[in-house]
Amino acid sequence: DTGVSQDPRHKITKRGQNVTFRCDPISEHNRLYWYRQTLGQGPEFLTYFQNEAQLEKSRLLSDRFSAERPKGSFSTLEIQRTEQGDSAMYLCASSLGVTSTDTQYFGPGTRLTVL
Amino acid sequence: AQSVTQLGSHVSVSEGALVLLRCNYSSSVPPYLFWYVQYPNQGLQLLLKYTSAATLVKGINGFEAEFKKSETSFHLTKPSAHMSDAAEYFCAVSVLYNFNKFYFGSGTKLNVKP
């Protein structure tokens, strides 16, 4: 068990550029979640995958955001035409099982700064 | 809808003193409750969780929390603070049939003074 990994850990970009983040969940975890954490706030849910199916998206996820999880393994989160308001920590988590009591294991996050 | 309120964005205690971090939840259905800790530049780590079994839950590093339905609370305590407990703590709620979607509080930063 190597834990959830995220890449890159930090990303600085200019407004209007596209960025892509990657998350590798714990092996065999069938659920994968993306959260966004802004300064002074707790993580906010963005989207969730069960295997390769994206089953829910938050209203926070504008049409500039897209997430994929091909083959039910790693996942990518892309932000197109970045805005300064997108600056935040993007967290990925994974869990094994299908109940509401399952522990979510979090990665270290990708910190995005949009200039 | 579910939500979590953490009272006190910053809490400061002396080493060896009692730690009390407050969490109140709102949920129209029975909740499941979690406490996570976040150290600088690290991901969130689970401290403990309440899943409708025992109302007093013991976690790692000497932390425990008690689920009180009448008070809609799930406060986190530790009898004696260590310097290594300095971190940010998040309370989260999920509910049955909501695919384990977490709603987090805004967090409490714990400072431990020598």
Side-chain angles (χ1 to χ4, degrees):
Chain A
D1 180 356
T2 57
V4 178
S5 61
Q6 293 186 245
D7 184 70
R9 295 290 305 276
H10 303 272
K11 178 70 176 179
I12 300 175
T13 191
K14 293 182 179 179
R15 188 177 54 186
Q17 298 294 305
N18 299 343
V19 294
T20 300
F21 310 141
R22 176 179 171 125
C23 169
D24 286 88
I26 293 173
S27 167
E28 297 180 354
H29 277 193
N30 55 9
R31 289 188 166 184
L32 187 146
Y33 308 79
W34 284 99
Y35 291 85
R36 182 174 70 184
Q37 185 178 17
T38 54
L39 201 61
Q41 298 298 317
E44 295 175 287
F45 170 81
L46 292 179
T47 190
Y48 139 78
F49 291 85
Q50 176 137 339
N51 299 312
E52 65 276 10
Q54 186 175 17
L55 297 185
E56 178 145 339
K57 296 193 291 185
S58 163
R59 60 180 174 78
L60 293 174
L61 221 61
S62 74
D63 57 5
R64 296 184 297 105
F65 288 72
S66 62
E68 295 182 337
R69 192 184 182 196
K71 303 179 183 178
S73 56
F74 71 93
S75 175
T76 58
L77 178 68
E78 181 182 16
I79 308 175
Q80 296 182 327
R81 305 181 303 280
T82 53
E83 302 172 355
Q84 288 185 328
D86 297 331
S87 295
M89 177 76 85
Y90 290 85
L91 297 170
C92 175
S94 68
S95 69
L96 176 67
V98 295
T99 74
S100 296
T101 61
D102 292 327
T103 297
Q104 291 186 23
Y105 296 86
F106 283 80
T110 295
R111 182 170 296 283
L112 173 66
T113 301
V114 182
L115 302 176
Chain B
Q2 291 74 43
S3 66
V4 168
T5 301
Q6 291 184 242
L7 292 176
S9 58
H10 291 80
V11 170
S12 187
V13 301
S14 298
E15 192 173 19
L18 171 71
V19 175
L20 170 61
L21 304 182
R22 299 179 185 274
C23 171
N24 287 87
Y25 69 90
S26 173
S27 177
S28 56
V29 296
Y32 304 120
L33 296 155
F34 302 76
W35 274 100
Y36 279 84
V37 60
Q38 187 176 33
Y39 297 100
N41 300 315
Q42 294 187 29
L44 281 76
Q45 179 185 4
L46 180 73
L47 279 176
L48 50 81
K49 64 181 180 181
Y50 166 75
T51 60
S52 75
T55 57
L56 182 62
V57 181
K58 295 186 183 298
I60 63 171
N61 301 338
F63 285 93
E64 64 181 37
E66 185 172 9
F67 173 71
K68 292 187 177 180
K69 184 178 178 181
S70 61
E71 298 178 8
T72 61
S73 69
F74 190 57
H75 302 330
L76 182 70
T77 61
K78 182 174 180 177
S80 176
H82 294 171
M83 296 297 292
S84 60
D85 295 328
E88 190 159 21
Y89 293 80
F90 292 94
C91 183
V93 62
S94 72
V95 298
L96 191 63
Y97 305 129
N98 200 11
F99 63 83
N100 205 19
K101 176 178 176 180
F102 280 9
Y103 297 85
F104 282 89
S106 55
T108 297
K109 285 188 179 176
L110 176 65
N111 177 48
V112 182
K113 300 175 291 186

